[in-house]
Amino acid sequence: MTFDLRIQPDVAELALRVRAFIDTEIIPREGELESADHGLSPEFRRELQEAARAAGVFAPTVPVALGGHGLDHRAMGPVLEECGRSLLGPVAMNCSAPDEGNMALLELIATPEQREHYLEPLCSGTIRSSFSMTEPAPGAGSDPRLLATEATRRGDDWLINGRKWFITGADGADFSIVMARTEGGATMFLVDGDNPGMRVEKRLPTMDKAFSGGHCIVEFTNCHVTEPSILGELDKGFEYAQLRLGPARLTHCMRWLGAARRVHELATAYAIQRRMFDDRLADLGMAQQMLADNEIDIAASRQLIWNAAGALDAGLSARTETSICKTFVAEAVFRIADRSMQLCGGSGTLTDHPIARILIESRAFRIYDGPSEVHRMSIAKGAVRRSSRGELPGDWQ
Ligand SMILES: Cc1cc2nc3c(=O)[nH]c(=O)nc-3n(C[C@H](O)[C@H](O)[C@H](O)COP(=O)(O)OP(=O)(O)OC[C@H]3O[C@@H](n4cnc5c(N)ncnc54)[C@H](O)[C@@H]3O)c2cc1C
């Protein structure tokens, strides 16, 4: 299926405004991330968000009624790509994971009370959130059916018990969307950060450092929640997880493509000014191949992103499109960062150089939001299914 992927003038204008904002206000402050332990302090986050508000680029994915720009998925493509050129961009513009995906899900299924209590302050950047799904082995990871955290009824209320890990932003989050097993499947619960039954055990020592609140182990011990804490309908958690993950992994691709463009920009600039063997590095064949392969990976990633965005905007589930896109982009971003580091020689390996930082930060993207192998498994199953129905796998229609 083909979609109209032309960028509208107002979207192009916003994307260029974001580019200028990132270049002038955000990139100069990147050094402050290097000196941080993990993530941004609440004050630093607030300052960056104020700057984004003043520049008119705050909350691009949030509906207009809630104070955002109300972009559809195709319009998000260029805007989030520009935003992702700095690892600080998504936080500044309030479109970072996991808040962005949580806002999109709440917008779809929250009750009016839940909207007022959780969605509105999340959209305005007043609060932060997390999404609690993954558990240590033998619990849910690549295979969500292994979900072990349980919610059991106590009269009209619920008690959640279990242990989660790698929960991004959990330390300091004002609430979490928690997946727990219930009698008829899985259910999502909204758990407030100050609920005494939910405890952040510790931040994990992950290799990245750009996410507010880090990635945490979270324990649920007789965590008491009431019926209105259920997000959406009882037992429909797995369905909602799919609803959240498709668009959320696409916005991840958009942001990481921006980061890949940034390292390519830096490597190209280095190759132009660096002289060796009586020539510019940029004019040496093996360097040209790396620069060209970066361009190819960027162009292919962008087309896959925009195509999947078109499918979502057309009201399709776009599961295959987002899986193909996520697998390709996550791997392409790492290839681009790796080539760019090679082009920059020793300087690119310095941990306070944006190339090294982005190479380190982007590696985990091949694991979260579905490891490449899980996506390849579901893409292959889809192809076999279509072929068994007499359709052509890989068809353009
Ligand atoms: C930085 C970071 C942030 C994260 N943030 C969150 C978060 O906010 N909330 C949350 O709930 N989770 C989060 N996660 C967890 C993430 O979603 C899981 O790590 C991921 O789903 C993989 O699960 P696992 O770690 O248990 O690995 P496992 O399930 O043990 O998988 C291990 C490996 O098995 C391989 N594999 C999987 N399936 C197949 C297959 N079919 N065939 C062959 N090989 C296969 C893959 O290479 C995979 O990496 C985050 C993870 C990281 C690293």
Side-chain angles (χ1 to χ4, degrees):
M1 200 176 289
T2 52
F3 308 100
D4 183 359
L5 301 181
R6 281 172 298 186
I7 303 179
Q8 298 306 311
D10 57 331
V11 174
E13 188 274 325
L14 177 59
L16 290 177
R17 198 142 35 97
V18 172
R19 180 181 298 185
F21 169 69
I22 296 294
D23 278 338
T24 57
E25 308 231 19
I26 299 300
I27 287 178
R29 303 203 60 181
E30 283 179 343
E32 291 171 61
L33 178 64
E34 275 315 310
S35 51
D37 186 20
H38 188 136
L40 295 71
S41 68
E43 301 75 42
F44 189 25
R45 180 173 168 272
R46 231 184 336 268
E47 264 180 56
L48 295 180
Q49 295 199 339
E50 278 312 312
R53 259 194 211 92
V57 297
F58 188 73
T61 65
V62 166
V64 174
L66 292 169
H69 289 261
L71 303 182
D72 63 13
H73 293 96
R74 280 164 302 176
M76 284 179 204
V79 172
L80 294 201
E81 183 183 321
E82 292 300 335
C83 165
R85 284 177 61 253
S86 171
L87 293 167
L88 297 176
V91 172
M93 290 169 55
N94 200 20
C95 56
S96 65
D99 289 339
E100 185 271 324
N102 287 347
M103 287 188 262
L105 182 64
L106 288 165
E107 172 63 20
L108 288 175
I109 60 172
T111 62
E113 292 74 27
Q114 291 169 343
R115 288 175 71 90
E116 189 185 337
H117 194 69
Y118 300 102
L119 178 60
E120 290 175 18
L122 201 53
C123 289
S124 68
T126 319
I127 63 171
R128 280 203 299 108
S129 64
S130 67
F131 185 78
S132 304
M133 168 90 171
T134 306
E135 298 158 342
S142 304
D143 185 352
R145 296 171 310 173
L146 300 176
L147 187 69
T149 298
E150 267 189 335
T152 45
R153 266 194 199 281
R154 280 290 179 280
D156 288 340
D157 298 346
W158 294 83
L159 291 182
I160 303 174
N161 281 288
R163 193 156 184 256
K164 306 278 186 184
W165 75 341
F166 286 99
I167 306 310
T168 303
D171 194 3
D174 296 88
F175 74 94
S176 186
I177 298 177
V178 180
M179 279 282 280
R181 185 164 289 290
T182 40
E183 243 172 55
T187 299
M188 287 186 175
F189 292 89
L190 289 157
V191 181
D192 290 333
D194 61 2
N195 187 316
M198 178 171 76
R199 188 177 72 88
V200 173
E201 191 181 308
K202 67 167 187 172
R203 291 188 185 200
L204 290 161
T206 52
M207 63 205 276
D208 64 334
K209 62 191 305 184
F211 287 89
S212 300
H215 311 285
C216 307
I217 300 181
V218 185
E219 264 191 342
F220 297 86
T221 311
N222 290 328
C223 176
H224 175 220
V225 288
T226 57
E227 193 79 9
S229 305
I230 292 178
L231 179 59
E233 289 179 39
L234 188 67
D235 296 332
K236 287 205 172 167
F238 287 129
E239 241 171 83
Y240 298 141
Q242 285 306 325
L243 205 62
R244 179 187 184 280
L245 281 173
R249 68 173 65 109
L250 195 60
T251 53
H252 258 314
C253 290
M254 294 167 182
R255 293 182 292 259
W256 280 123
L257 176 59
R261 257 193 44 217
R262 170 92 179 284
V263 297
H264 178 53
E265 287 163 23
L266 292 166
T268 308
Y270 183 85
I272 289 170
Q273 60 79 30
R274 180 68 164 140
R275 293 199 66 82
M276 59 180 74
F277 306 107
D278 307 320
D279 226 334
R280 297 184 307 182
L281 173 60
D283 297 322
L284 300 176
M286 282 181 274
Q288 285 178 327
Q289 174 157 5
M290 288 195 267
L291 292 172
D293 285 347
N294 278 359
E295 289 276 329
I296 292 166
D297 270 337
I298 288 169
S301 295
R302 188 178 290 129
Q303 287 305 310
L304 287 173
I305 290 170
W306 289 11
N307 180 65
L312 284 173
D313 286 340
L316 307 175
S317 78
R319 277 184 74 167
T320 305
E321 286 87 348
T322 54
S323 272
I324 290 174
C325 177
K326 197 274 175 179
T327 309
F328 185 88
V329 175
E331 294 174 5
V333 167
F334 194 74
R335 284 194 297 270
I336 295 165
D338 186 55
R339 285 186 207 111
S340 301
M341 180 176 276
Q342 192 70 17
L343 278 162
C344 288
S347 59
T349 69
L350 299 171
T351 53
D352 60 353
H353 192 292
I355 292 183
R357 176 54 44 216
I358 287 171
L359 180 84
I360 292 167
E361 295 281 328
S362 64
R363 178 59 182 88
F365 185 36
R366 282 160 55 193
I367 293 170
Y368 58 73
D369 277 19
S372 295
E373 291 76 11
V374 172
H375 288 294
R376 285 197 166 88
M377 182 175 69
S378 85
I379 295 163
K381 280 183 177 171
V384 170
R385 230 181 0 256
R386 284 193 299 282
S387 188
S388 312
R389 287 199 300 255
E391 297 167 20
L392 294 174
D395 198 2
W396 54 268
Q397 294 184 74

